[in-house]
Amino acid sequence: MTRLSLTAIVLAISAVTLAQAQGPECSGSIKPISQGDLEAIKNCKVFTGSILIDATQEAFLTLNGVEEITGDLIVQSSVDLKSFSAPQLKVVRGELKLQNHTILERADLPALVEAKGLTLAILPGLQIIQFPSGLNKVESVRIEDTRAPAVTGLGPETMDTFILTNNNYMRQFDLSTVKQMTGTLFITSNGQGLDFGATNLATLRSATFRNLAQLNLPVLTTVAADISFHQNEFTKLSLDGLEMIGGTMTLANNDRLTETSFKSLFKIGGALSIGNNTQLKAIDGFSKLSEVDGTIDLAGAFDLYAMPAIQDIRGGMRLQTSSSVFPC
Ligand SMILES: *[C@@H]1O[C@H](CO)[C@@H](O)[C@H](O)[C@H]1NC(C)=O
Ligand SMILES: *[C@@H]1O[C@H](CO)[C@@H](O)[C@H](O)[C@H]1NC(C)=O
């Protein structure tokens, strides 16, 4: 009897503790603005709802205690915030966005392993982007306009969308863990020197590559929709594993390009457009290409083109070369 009531008391105490841990402050749609406002939710291991921190005037903000947010966490539009940290935050079921902070230097997310979407954008002072616990489950990622030279700890196997743009100090990026993308890969304007690779990526929906020094997609097999390459600095473009493009392929204004190699490509569901690649003297490397459902449009200063396997060009062919040695 004594024992029983003791157990009952212990149970009663834990129930009270639990109720405190998940009290009324732990849910809803809240707009904290100060460190004091954030301290009010520090006992919420799970926050049910969304948190918007807009235009805070604090220099340092720490989201203590919270391990999971069932909605979004958005921290945006401050000219004063230097450092944001969420030391225990593991999961954001919605969007995690840090955006539009003039002087933000640090974003510490040491425990983060999952978010539906991650946006780090318009953060011209942010130099380090890292996910020490491994951000291994994330559908879409956008990293735009930061000072970071690299990103470490991003490790999903499948993704929808990945956008990397206007990061002027980014020199090298390997999206090495990703095998499949159901959406878009958009890599543009990261200075002139980005060496980009997705070394295990086999399928994606669409892609745009602009201003790259190197591109390495050694096992890419299928592009469901469009793929384009504009104003890149590389001399050779090899996509020898690529078999099928569902939409259009565009290769334009790549001023140093001298060689293309698409050894396995047999079908393009849209158009093939190759134009204004000033150093490209031969359009070849398409030894298996037999079907193009749109137009083949080739323009430039090439002396030679070779598509030995071509049988079916539904949209017709347009050839324009300024070369004087072209044999036709
Ligand atoms: C960015 O933040 C500044 C400062 O708070 C604000 O005035 C501006 O409207 C914000 N811009 C966007 C696009 O949210
Ligand atoms: C061809 O390339 C040059 C140099 O990059 C550029 O100035 C021009 O606008 C391009 N032409 C077209 C039609 O894209």
Side-chain angles (χ1 to χ4, degrees):
M1 190 63 199
T2 318
R3 239 188 180 169
L4 243 180
S5 37
L6 203 66
T7 314
I9 290 164
V10 171
L11 278 175
I13 290 172
S14 0
V16 168
T17 319
L18 203 71
Q20 274 172 353
Q22 300 302 327
E25 75 280 13
C26 296
S27 66
S29 178
I30 62 166
K31 295 183 175 177
I33 197 127
S34 65
Q35 185 60 39
D37 295 343
L38 288 182
E39 291 305 309
I41 59 166
K42 74 170 183 229
N43 291 322
C44 308
K45 278 194 173 180
V46 177
F47 185 87
T48 306
S50 291
I51 302 174
L52 170 64
I53 305 174
D54 186 52
T56 181
Q57 292 179 355
E58 304 270 15
F60 302 91
L61 278 181
T62 304
L63 176 63
N64 285 308
V66 178
E67 294 179 10
E68 178 179 338
I69 296 169
T70 62
D72 304 331
L73 170 61
I74 299 174
V75 186
Q76 66 182 17
S77 301
S78 167
V79 294
D80 301 306
L81 191 65
K82 272 191 179 158
S83 163
F84 176 79
S85 146
Q88 283 85 35
L89 187 64
K90 292 182 188 144
V91 176
V92 177
R93 302 245 172 250
E95 298 290 325
L96 170 51
K97 296 186 180 180
L98 289 180
Q99 59 192 11
N100 188 25
H101 297 289
T102 326
I103 59 168
L104 188 80
E105 286 169 3
R106 294 189 64 97
D108 291 326
L109 300 162
L112 191 69
V113 292
E114 177 179 345
K116 183 166 190 286
L118 171 76
T119 297
L120 298 173
I122 324 178
L123 303 172
L126 186 65
Q127 293 198 35
I128 297 175
I129 302 177
Q130 60 186 12
F131 305 99
S133 295
L135 178 54
N136 293 342
K137 202 168 170 214
V138 61
E139 282 175 29
S140 58
V141 171
R142 175 168 153 233
I143 298 173
E144 176 171 354
D145 193 359
T146 75
R147 274 180 84 84
V151 175
T152 57
L154 189 62
E157 284 200 3
T158 61
M159 278 183 105
D160 182 62
T161 300
F162 183 73
I163 296 171
L164 186 68
T165 185
N166 285 311
N167 300 283
N168 290 332
Y169 298 82
M170 197 78 71
R171 289 283 169 268
Q172 205 273 333
F173 197 105
D174 191 351
L175 198 60
S176 60
T177 58
V178 180
K179 296 178 177 163
Q180 274 193 355
M181 289 185 69
T182 49
T184 296
L185 179 57
F186 188 81
I187 313 294
T188 69
S189 310
N190 296 287
Q192 294 298 310
L194 181 67
D195 172 352
F196 181 82
T199 42
N200 291 297
L201 183 63
T203 63
L204 56 76
R205 177 159 175 77
S206 61
T208 299
F209 301 103
R210 203 181 274 268
N211 315 109
L212 297 182
Q214 277 191 61
L215 177 63
N216 189 19
L217 301 168
V219 300
L220 184 65
T221 310
T222 309
V223 176
D226 300 340
I227 187 165
S228 67
F229 310 88
H230 296 274
Q231 289 161 293
N232 293 290
E233 300 291 315
F234 43 71
T235 56
K236 180 167 181 184
L237 176 61
S238 299
L239 286 171
D240 286 329
L242 185 57
E243 294 171 3
M244 224 275 289
I245 296 171
T248 289
M249 177 159 88
T250 307
L251 188 53
N253 297 306
N254 301 282
D255 282 343
R256 302 203 183 147
L257 190 67
T258 57
E259 197 181 340
T260 53
S261 182
F262 289 80
K263 288 196 174 112
S264 310
L265 185 64
F266 68 90
K267 179 180 168 181
I268 297 179
L272 170 62
S273 174
I274 301 181
N276 203 17
N277 304 288
T278 48
Q279 305 299 312
L280 191 65
K281 297 297 176 205
I283 293 178
D284 62 4
F286 294 91
S287 53
K288 288 205 179 126
L289 185 61
S290 61
E291 178 184 336
V292 177
D293 293 348
T295 309
I296 295 185
D297 193 347
L298 307 177
F302 51 91
D303 303 329
L304 164 99
Y305 90 93
M307 288 190 187
I310 203 89
Q311 285 171 355
D312 189 358
I313 311 171
R314 301 199 187 155
M317 181 143 180
R318 206 163 52 183
L319 264 183
Q320 254 180 305
T321 177
S322 55
S323 167
S324 50
V325 302
F326 198 72
C328 69

